[in-house]
Amino acid sequence: MHTRALVLFSGGQDSTTCLAHALSRCEHVETLAFDYGQRHRIELDQRLAVLSALRARFPAWSARLGEDHLIDLAVLGQISDSALTRDTAIEMARAGLPNTFVPGRNLIFLAFAGALAYRRGLDMIVTGVCETDFSGYPDCRDDTMKAMQLALSLGMDRRLLIDTPLMWIDKARTWQLAHDLGQQADAAGGGDALVRLIVEHSHTCYLGERGTLHEWGHGCGACPACALRAAGWARWREAARPSA
């Protein structure tokens, strides 16, 4: 049984839902983020706000939530030519991928996560990669995750599980999963509370916009990350609306 988890936690909708998923299943959970030369630091700031809000609203989870880690990977930003690491317009690149793709990012993240998990005695790495509502990034695919799990387990001679709870669900179901997890943690309004926490505190927008609070959260409303999040929210709310 895998009971000690390390969550790759950026502070966005997906990673916050993954953190709730881990806290609902594991006896001890730690979080990990990377400073890789992103074009803005808002997600690094907001992740701390999410952690603080989770601890305050869900005391049972707070008791399981351990140390938070931040690793400096500025070298990744130095070798990447991406709209996430450069002040450039977001567009489709020649390879058929959006120029928000940072080659090797998730592979590097998981390698460092595996090394940290080894040192901390953690046996599961939880990440919010998804092959359903995604931008086509090859390092978010299920095959990639399975290959990395095998490589890390062999290379460290310790069985590590890479858990991807969002892999086969879209953004609408991700909102529903967050609601379900919050409700399981606190039957007295925990579902709505966790959704509201994600709306108000998490950050997904590629451009780092924190001005307007839309019904689905802060963001520019136009970048691919905002578009996916907003569309998922709309589908989720429509499905939850009582029929006439």
Side-chain angles (χ1 to χ4, degrees), residues 134-189:
F134 78 137
S135 298
Y137 300 162
D139 60 355
C140 287
R141 295 173 182 163
D142 186 56
D143 285 348
T144 303
M145 294 300 110
K146 286 184 169 63
M148 284 299 296
Q149 176 177 286
L150 179 60
L152 289 174
S153 296
L154 289 173
M156 298 186 185
D157 198 23
R158 177 180 298 179
R159 182 166 177 75
L160 279 173
L161 172 67
I162 297 181
D163 186 23
T164 57
L166 310 184
M167 181 59 73
W168 305 115
I169 65 176
D170 62 16
K171 283 291 185 291
R173 290 175 62 194
T174 300
W175 283 111
Q176 184 62 51
L177 176 59
H179 189 278
D180 293 345
L181 291 168
Q183 199 65 21
Q184 290 169 18
D186 179 4

Short mmCIF file of all heavy atoms in Angstrom, two decimals, residues 134-189:
data_model
loop_
_atom_site.label_atom_id
_atom_site.label_comp_id
_atom_site.label_asym_id
_atom_site.label_seq_id
_atom_site.Cartn_x
_atom_site.Cartn_y
_atom_site.Cartn_z
N PHE A 134 -6.37 18.68 -22.62
CA PHE A 134 -5.00 19.15 -22.52
C PHE A 134 -4.58 19.76 -23.84
O PHE A 134 -5.32 19.75 -24.82
CB PHE A 134 -4.05 18.02 -22.09
CG PHE A 134 -3.65 17.04 -23.17
CD1 PHE A 134 -2.34 16.60 -23.27
CD2 PHE A 134 -4.57 16.53 -24.06
CE1 PHE A 134 -1.94 15.69 -24.23
CE2 PHE A 134 -4.19 15.62 -25.03
CZ PHE A 134 -2.87 15.20 -25.12
N SER A 135 -3.39 20.34 -23.88
CA SER A 135 -2.93 21.07 -25.07
C SER A 135 -2.11 20.21 -26.01
O SER A 135 -1.47 20.72 -26.92
CB SER A 135 -2.12 22.30 -24.63
OG SER A 135 -2.93 23.18 -23.89
N GLY A 136 -2.10 18.90 -25.78
CA GLY A 136 -1.37 18.00 -26.65
C GLY A 136 0.07 17.75 -26.24
O GLY A 136 0.83 17.14 -27.00
N TYR A 137 0.44 18.19 -25.05
CA TYR A 137 1.82 18.01 -24.59
C TYR A 137 2.16 16.51 -24.50
O TYR A 137 1.48 15.77 -23.78
CB TYR A 137 2.03 18.63 -23.22
CG TYR A 137 1.77 20.11 -23.11
CD1 TYR A 137 1.57 20.70 -21.86
CD2 TYR A 137 1.76 20.94 -24.23
CE1 TYR A 137 1.34 22.07 -21.74
CE2 TYR A 137 1.54 22.30 -24.12
CZ TYR A 137 1.33 22.87 -22.87
OH TYR A 137 1.11 24.21 -22.75
N PRO A 138 3.20 16.06 -25.16
CA PRO A 138 3.53 14.62 -25.11
C PRO A 138 3.96 14.15 -23.73
O PRO A 138 3.83 12.96 -23.41
CB PRO A 138 4.66 14.47 -26.14
CG PRO A 138 5.21 15.84 -26.31
CD PRO A 138 4.08 16.79 -26.10
N ASP A 139 4.48 15.05 -22.89
CA ASP A 139 4.92 14.62 -21.56
C ASP A 139 3.78 14.62 -20.54
O ASP A 139 4.02 14.49 -19.34
CB ASP A 139 6.10 15.46 -21.06
CG ASP A 139 5.78 16.94 -20.95
OD1 ASP A 139 4.67 17.35 -21.35
OD2 ASP A 139 6.65 17.71 -20.46
N CYS A 140 2.54 14.77 -21.03
CA CYS A 140 1.36 14.62 -20.17
C CYS A 140 0.63 13.30 -20.43
O CYS A 140 -0.36 13.00 -19.78
CB CYS A 140 0.37 15.77 -20.40
SG CYS A 140 0.91 17.35 -19.72
N ARG A 141 1.13 12.52 -21.36
CA ARG A 141 0.43 11.31 -21.77
C ARG A 141 0.62 10.16 -20.78
O ARG A 141 1.64 10.08 -20.09
CB ARG A 141 0.91 10.87 -23.16
CG ARG A 141 0.56 11.85 -24.26
CD ARG A 141 1.21 11.45 -25.57
NE ARG A 141 0.92 12.42 -26.62
CZ ARG A 141 1.60 12.51 -27.75
NH1 ARG A 141 2.62 11.67 -27.97
NH2 ARG A 141 1.29 13.41 -28.65
N ASP A 142 -0.35 9.27 -20.77
CA ASP A 142 -0.30 8.13 -19.86
C ASP A 142 0.92 7.25 -20.13
O ASP A 142 1.56 6.77 -19.19
CB ASP A 142 -1.59 7.32 -20.02
CG ASP A 142 -1.71 6.19 -19.01
OD1 ASP A 142 -1.64 6.47 -17.80
OD2 ASP A 142 -1.87 5.03 -19.43
N ASP A 143 1.26 7.05 -21.39
CA ASP A 143 2.43 6.24 -21.72
C ASP A 143 3.71 6.85 -21.14
O ASP A 143 4.60 6.13 -20.66
CB ASP A 143 2.59 6.10 -23.24
CG ASP A 143 1.58 5.12 -23.84
OD1 ASP A 143 0.94 4.39 -23.07
OD2 ASP A 143 1.46 5.09 -25.08
N THR A 144 3.80 8.17 -21.18
CA THR A 144 4.97 8.84 -20.61
C THR A 144 5.05 8.61 -19.11
O THR A 144 6.13 8.34 -18.56
CB THR A 144 4.91 10.35 -20.90
OG1 THR A 144 4.84 10.56 -22.32
CG2 THR A 144 6.15 11.06 -20.36
N MET A 145 3.91 8.71 -18.44
CA MET A 145 3.89 8.52 -16.98
C MET A 145 4.27 7.09 -16.60
O MET A 145 5.02 6.86 -15.65
CB MET A 145 2.50 8.85 -16.43
CG MET A 145 2.11 10.32 -16.56
SD MET A 145 3.23 11.45 -15.70
CE MET A 145 4.03 12.25 -17.10
N LYS A 146 3.78 6.12 -17.36
CA LYS A 146 4.11 4.71 -17.08
C LYS A 146 5.60 4.46 -17.28
O LYS A 146 6.25 3.74 -16.51
CB LYS A 146 3.29 3.79 -17.96
CG LYS A 146 1.82 3.66 -17.54
CD LYS A 146 1.10 2.65 -18.40
CE LYS A 146 -0.28 2.30 -17.86
NZ LYS A 146 -1.19 3.43 -17.82
N ALA A 147 6.16 5.08 -18.34
CA ALA A 147 7.59 4.91 -18.61
C ALA A 147 8.42 5.55 -17.50
O ALA A 147 9.44 4.98 -17.06
CB ALA A 147 7.93 5.52 -19.96
N MET A 148 8.01 6.71 -17.03
CA MET A 148 8.75 7.38 -15.96
C MET A 148 8.65 6.62 -14.65
O MET A 148 9.61 6.53 -13.88
CB MET A 148 8.24 8.81 -15.79
CG MET A 148 8.70 9.77 -16.86
SD MET A 148 10.52 9.95 -16.95
CE MET A 148 10.90 10.68 -15.35
N GLN A 149 7.48 6.05 -14.38
CA GLN A 149 7.32 5.25 -13.16
C GLN A 149 8.28 4.06 -13.18
O GLN A 149 8.93 3.77 -12.16
CB GLN A 149 5.88 4.77 -13.05
CG GLN A 149 5.64 3.84 -11.87
CD GLN A 149 4.17 3.44 -11.74
OE1 GLN A 149 3.34 4.23 -11.33
NE2 GLN A 149 3.87 2.21 -12.11
N LEU A 150 8.38 3.39 -14.31
CA LEU A 150 9.29 2.25 -14.42
C LEU A 150 10.75 2.69 -14.28
O LEU A 150 11.53 2.07 -13.55
CB LEU A 150 9.07 1.55 -15.76
CG LEU A 150 9.97 0.34 -16.06
CD1 LEU A 150 9.78 -0.75 -15.00
CD2 LEU A 150 9.68 -0.20 -17.45
N ALA A 151 11.10 3.78 -14.96
CA ALA A 151 12.48 4.25 -14.92
C ALA A 151 12.89 4.67 -13.50
O ALA A 151 13.98 4.32 -13.03
CB ALA A 151 12.67 5.43 -15.88
N LEU A 152 12.02 5.39 -12.81
CA LEU A 152 12.34 5.83 -11.45
C LEU A 152 12.44 4.65 -10.49
O LEU A 152 13.33 4.59 -9.64
CB LEU A 152 11.29 6.83 -10.96
CG LEU A 152 11.31 8.21 -11.63
CD1 LEU A 152 10.11 9.03 -11.16
CD2 LEU A 152 12.61 8.95 -11.35
N SER A 153 11.51 3.72 -10.62
CA SER A 153 11.52 2.55 -9.73
C SER A 153 12.77 1.71 -9.95
O SER A 153 13.39 1.23 -8.98
CB SER A 153 10.27 1.70 -9.96
OG SER A 153 9.09 2.42 -9.63
N LEU A 154 13.17 1.53 -11.21
CA LEU A 154 14.37 0.76 -11.49
C LEU A 154 15.63 1.52 -11.06
O LEU A 154 16.54 0.96 -10.45
CB LEU A 154 14.45 0.44 -12.99
CG LEU A 154 13.45 -0.59 -13.52
CD1 LEU A 154 13.54 -0.67 -15.04
CD2 LEU A 154 13.70 -1.97 -12.90
N GLY A 155 15.67 2.81 -11.40
CA GLY A 155 16.86 3.59 -11.14
C GLY A 155 17.13 3.83 -9.66
O GLY A 155 18.28 4.09 -9.27
N MET A 156 16.09 3.76 -8.84
CA MET A 156 16.26 3.98 -7.40
C MET A 156 16.08 2.71 -6.59
O MET A 156 16.16 2.73 -5.37
CB MET A 156 15.29 5.06 -6.92
CG MET A 156 15.55 6.39 -7.60
SD MET A 156 14.57 7.74 -6.95
CE MET A 156 15.04 9.04 -8.08
N ASP A 157 15.81 1.62 -7.31
CA ASP A 157 15.64 0.32 -6.66
C ASP A 157 14.60 0.40 -5.54
O ASP A 157 14.77 -0.16 -4.46
CB ASP A 157 16.97 -0.20 -6.11
CG ASP A 157 16.92 -1.70 -5.82
OD1 ASP A 157 16.07 -2.38 -6.43
OD2 ASP A 157 17.71 -2.16 -4.99
N ARG A 158 13.54 1.14 -5.82
CA ARG A 158 12.45 1.28 -4.86
C ARG A 158 11.18 1.50 -5.67
O ARG A 158 11.15 2.33 -6.58
CB ARG A 158 12.71 2.47 -3.94
CG ARG A 158 11.58 2.74 -2.96
CD ARG A 158 11.89 3.92 -2.06
NE ARG A 158 13.07 3.69 -1.24
CZ ARG A 158 13.54 4.60 -0.38
NH1 ARG A 158 12.97 5.78 -0.28
NH2 ARG A 158 14.62 4.32 0.34
N ARG A 159 10.12 0.78 -5.33
CA ARG A 159 8.90 0.88 -6.12
C ARG A 159 8.18 2.19 -5.83
O ARG A 159 7.62 2.40 -4.76
CB ARG A 159 7.97 -0.30 -5.85
CG ARG A 159 6.70 -0.24 -6.69
CD ARG A 159 5.94 -1.55 -6.69
NE ARG A 159 4.71 -1.46 -7.42
CZ ARG A 159 4.60 -1.43 -8.75
NH1 ARG A 159 5.69 -1.48 -9.49
NH2 ARG A 159 3.43 -1.35 -9.34
N LEU A 160 8.20 3.08 -6.81
CA LEU A 160 7.50 4.36 -6.73
C LEU A 160 6.26 4.29 -7.62
O LEU A 160 6.33 3.81 -8.76
CB LEU A 160 8.39 5.50 -7.20
CG LEU A 160 9.41 6.06 -6.22
CD1 LEU A 160 10.30 7.07 -6.94
CD2 LEU A 160 8.73 6.72 -5.03
N LEU A 161 5.15 4.75 -7.11
CA LEU A 161 3.92 4.84 -7.89
C LEU A 161 3.73 6.28 -8.35
O LEU A 161 3.80 7.20 -7.54
CB LEU A 161 2.72 4.39 -7.05
CG LEU A 161 1.34 4.62 -7.67
CD1 LEU A 161 1.15 3.71 -8.88
CD2 LEU A 161 0.24 4.37 -6.64
N ILE A 162 3.52 6.47 -9.65
CA ILE A 162 3.11 7.78 -10.16
C ILE A 162 1.61 7.74 -10.35
O ILE A 162 1.09 7.04 -11.21
CB ILE A 162 3.83 8.14 -11.48
CG1 ILE A 162 5.33 8.24 -11.25
CG2 ILE A 162 3.28 9.44 -12.04
CD1 ILE A 162 6.12 8.61 -12.50
N ASP A 163 0.92 8.49 -9.51
CA ASP A 163 -0.55 8.51 -9.50
C ASP A 163 -1.03 9.71 -10.31
O ASP A 163 -0.61 10.85 -10.07
CB ASP A 163 -1.05 8.59 -8.06
CG ASP A 163 -2.56 8.47 -7.95
OD1 ASP A 163 -3.18 7.89 -8.86
OD2 ASP A 163 -3.12 8.95 -6.95
N THR A 164 -1.92 9.47 -11.28
CA THR A 164 -2.43 10.53 -12.16
C THR A 164 -3.96 10.53 -12.12
O THR A 164 -4.61 10.05 -13.05
CB THR A 164 -1.93 10.32 -13.60
OG1 THR A 164 -2.34 9.01 -14.05
CG2 THR A 164 -0.42 10.43 -13.68
N PRO A 165 -4.55 11.05 -11.06
CA PRO A 165 -6.00 10.94 -10.89
C PRO A 165 -6.83 11.68 -11.94
O PRO A 165 -8.03 11.39 -12.08
CB PRO A 165 -6.24 11.52 -9.49
CG PRO A 165 -5.06 12.38 -9.22
CD PRO A 165 -3.91 11.73 -9.91
N LEU A 166 -6.23 12.59 -12.69
CA LEU A 166 -6.98 13.37 -13.68
C LEU A 166 -6.77 12.88 -15.11
O LEU A 166 -7.32 13.46 -16.04
CB LEU A 166 -6.59 14.85 -13.60
CG LEU A 166 -6.59 15.51 -12.22
CD1 LEU A 166 -6.28 17.00 -12.36
CD2 LEU A 166 -7.92 15.30 -11.51
N MET A 167 -5.99 11.83 -15.28
CA MET A 167 -5.54 11.42 -16.61
C MET A 167 -6.69 11.25 -17.61
O MET A 167 -6.61 11.69 -18.76
CB MET A 167 -4.74 10.12 -16.52
CG MET A 167 -4.21 9.62 -17.86
SD MET A 167 -3.12 10.79 -18.72
CE MET A 167 -1.63 10.65 -17.71
N TRP A 168 -7.78 10.64 -17.18
CA TRP A 168 -8.84 10.30 -18.13
C TRP A 168 -10.13 11.08 -17.88
O TRP A 168 -11.20 10.64 -18.31
CB TRP A 168 -9.12 8.79 -18.10
CG TRP A 168 -7.89 7.99 -18.34
CD1 TRP A 168 -7.26 7.15 -17.46
CD2 TRP A 168 -7.09 7.95 -19.53
NE1 TRP A 168 -6.13 6.60 -18.02
CE2 TRP A 168 -6.01 7.07 -19.29
CE3 TRP A 168 -7.19 8.59 -20.77
CZ2 TRP A 168 -5.03 6.80 -20.27
CZ3 TRP A 168 -6.21 8.32 -21.72
CH2 TRP A 168 -5.16 7.44 -21.47
N ILE A 169 -10.06 12.21 -17.21
CA ILE A 169 -11.26 13.01 -17.01
C ILE A 169 -11.05 14.42 -17.56
O ILE A 169 -9.93 14.92 -17.62
CB ILE A 169 -11.67 13.08 -15.51
CG1 ILE A 169 -10.64 13.83 -14.68
CG2 ILE A 169 -11.91 11.68 -14.97
CD1 ILE A 169 -11.05 14.00 -13.22
N ASP A 170 -12.16 15.04 -17.99
CA ASP A 170 -12.05 16.40 -18.53
C ASP A 170 -12.19 17.42 -17.40
O ASP A 170 -12.36 17.07 -16.23
CB ASP A 170 -13.09 16.63 -19.64
CG ASP A 170 -14.53 16.49 -19.15
OD1 ASP A 170 -14.78 16.52 -17.91
OD2 ASP A 170 -15.43 16.35 -20.00
N LYS A 171 -12.14 18.71 -17.74
CA LYS A 171 -12.15 19.75 -16.72
C LYS A 171 -13.49 19.81 -15.98
O LYS A 171 -13.52 20.16 -14.79
CB LYS A 171 -11.85 21.10 -17.35
CG LYS A 171 -10.37 21.31 -17.66
CD LYS A 171 -9.56 21.44 -16.37
CE LYS A 171 -8.11 21.77 -16.65
NZ LYS A 171 -7.36 20.67 -17.27
N ALA A 172 -14.57 19.48 -16.64
CA ALA A 172 -15.87 19.47 -15.95
C ALA A 172 -15.85 18.42 -14.84
O ALA A 172 -16.29 18.67 -13.70
CB ALA A 172 -17.00 19.19 -16.94
N ARG A 173 -15.35 17.25 -15.15
CA ARG A 173 -15.27 16.18 -14.14
C ARG A 173 -14.22 16.49 -13.08
O ARG A 173 -14.30 16.00 -11.95
CB ARG A 173 -15.01 14.85 -14.82
CG ARG A 173 -16.21 14.35 -15.64
CD ARG A 173 -15.90 13.08 -16.40
NE ARG A 173 -15.57 11.97 -15.50
CZ ARG A 173 -15.01 10.84 -15.90
NH1 ARG A 173 -14.68 10.70 -17.18
NH2 ARG A 173 -14.75 9.88 -15.04
N THR A 174 -13.22 17.30 -13.43
CA THR A 174 -12.25 17.72 -12.43
C THR A 174 -12.90 18.61 -11.38
O THR A 174 -12.64 18.48 -10.18
CB THR A 174 -11.06 18.44 -13.09
OG1 THR A 174 -10.43 17.55 -14.02
CG2 THR A 174 -10.04 18.88 -12.06
N TRP A 175 -13.77 19.53 -11.83
CA TRP A 175 -14.53 20.34 -10.87
C TRP A 175 -15.40 19.45 -9.99
O TRP A 175 -15.49 19.64 -8.78
CB TRP A 175 -15.41 21.35 -11.61
CG TRP A 175 -14.70 22.55 -12.15
CD1 TRP A 175 -14.49 22.85 -13.47
CD2 TRP A 175 -14.10 23.61 -11.40
NE1 TRP A 175 -13.79 24.04 -13.58
CE2 TRP A 175 -13.55 24.53 -12.33
CE3 TRP A 175 -13.98 23.89 -10.04
CZ2 TRP A 175 -12.89 25.70 -11.94
CZ3 TRP A 175 -13.32 25.04 -9.64
CH2 TRP A 175 -12.79 25.93 -10.58
N GLN A 176 -16.03 18.45 -10.60
CA GLN A 176 -16.89 17.55 -9.83
C GLN A 176 -16.07 16.74 -8.83
O GLN A 176 -16.51 16.52 -7.69
CB GLN A 176 -17.66 16.62 -10.77
CG GLN A 176 -18.65 15.69 -10.06
CD GLN A 176 -19.74 16.46 -9.33
OE1 GLN A 176 -20.39 17.32 -9.92
NE2 GLN A 176 -19.96 16.16 -8.06
N LEU A 177 -14.89 16.30 -9.26
CA LEU A 177 -14.04 15.53 -8.36
C LEU A 177 -13.66 16.37 -7.15
O LEU A 177 -13.67 15.87 -6.01
CB LEU A 177 -12.79 15.06 -9.10
CG LEU A 177 -11.74 14.31 -8.26
CD1 LEU A 177 -12.34 13.06 -7.62
CD2 LEU A 177 -10.53 13.96 -9.11
N ALA A 178 -13.30 17.62 -7.37
CA ALA A 178 -12.96 18.50 -6.25
C ALA A 178 -14.13 18.63 -5.29
O ALA A 178 -13.96 18.56 -4.07
CB ALA A 178 -12.55 19.87 -6.78
N HIS A 179 -15.32 18.80 -5.83
CA HIS A 179 -16.52 18.90 -4.98
C HIS A 179 -16.72 17.62 -4.18
O HIS A 179 -16.99 17.66 -2.98
CB HIS A 179 -17.74 19.20 -5.85
CG HIS A 179 -18.97 19.52 -5.05
ND1 HIS A 179 -19.79 18.54 -4.51
CD2 HIS A 179 -19.51 20.71 -4.68
CE1 HIS A 179 -20.78 19.10 -3.86
NE2 HIS A 179 -20.64 20.42 -3.94
N ASP A 180 -16.57 16.48 -4.84
CA ASP A 180 -16.76 15.20 -4.16
C ASP A 180 -15.75 15.00 -3.04
O ASP A 180 -16.08 14.54 -1.94
CB ASP A 180 -16.65 14.05 -5.17
CG ASP A 180 -17.79 14.03 -6.18
OD1 ASP A 180 -18.81 14.71 -5.95
OD2 ASP A 180 -17.64 13.35 -7.22
N LEU A 181 -14.49 15.36 -3.31
CA LEU A 181 -13.44 15.18 -2.31
C LEU A 181 -13.67 16.09 -1.10
O LEU A 181 -13.49 15.68 0.05
CB LEU A 181 -12.07 15.47 -2.93
CG LEU A 181 -11.59 14.45 -3.96
CD1 LEU A 181 -10.37 14.99 -4.71
CD2 LEU A 181 -11.24 13.12 -3.29
N GLY A 182 -14.06 17.33 -1.36
CA GLY A 182 -14.35 18.24 -0.26
C GLY A 182 -15.52 17.77 0.57
O GLY A 182 -15.50 17.88 1.81
N GLN A 183 -16.53 17.22 -0.10
CA GLN A 183 -17.71 16.74 0.62
C GLN A 183 -17.38 15.52 1.46
O GLN A 183 -17.91 15.35 2.57
CB GLN A 183 -18.83 16.43 -0.38
CG GLN A 183 -20.21 16.36 0.22
CD GLN A 183 -20.69 17.69 0.79
OE1 GLN A 183 -20.19 18.75 0.42
NE2 GLN A 183 -21.67 17.64 1.69
N GLN A 184 -16.51 14.66 0.94
CA GLN A 184 -16.09 13.50 1.72
C GLN A 184 -15.33 13.91 2.97
O GLN A 184 -15.44 13.29 4.03
CB GLN A 184 -15.20 12.59 0.86
CG GLN A 184 -15.92 11.88 -0.26
CD GLN A 184 -14.97 11.22 -1.24
OE1 GLN A 184 -13.79 11.01 -0.93
NE2 GLN A 184 -15.46 10.90 -2.43
N ALA A 185 -14.56 15.00 2.85
CA ALA A 185 -13.78 15.48 4.00
C ALA A 185 -14.64 16.16 5.04
O ALA A 185 -14.35 16.10 6.23
CB ALA A 185 -12.69 16.43 3.51
N ASP A 186 -15.71 16.81 4.58
CA ASP A 186 -16.60 17.53 5.50
C ASP A 186 -17.99 17.54 4.90
O ASP A 186 -18.26 18.29 3.96
CB ASP A 186 -16.09 18.95 5.71
CG ASP A 186 -17.00 19.76 6.64
OD1 ASP A 186 -17.97 19.19 7.18
OD2 ASP A 186 -16.74 20.96 6.81
N ALA A 187 -18.86 16.70 5.42
CA ALA A 187 -20.22 16.57 4.88
C ALA A 187 -21.02 17.85 5.05
O ALA A 187 -22.02 18.06 4.37
CB ALA A 187 -20.94 15.41 5.55
N ALA A 188 -20.58 18.73 5.94
CA ALA A 188 -21.30 19.99 6.18
C ALA A 188 -20.73 21.10 5.29
O ALA A 188 -20.15 22.08 5.77
CB ALA A 188 -21.19 20.38 7.65
N GLY A 189 -20.88 20.92 4.00
CA GLY A 189 -20.50 21.98 3.07
C GLY A 189 -19.08 21.94 2.55
O GLY A 189 -18.61 22.89 1.92
#
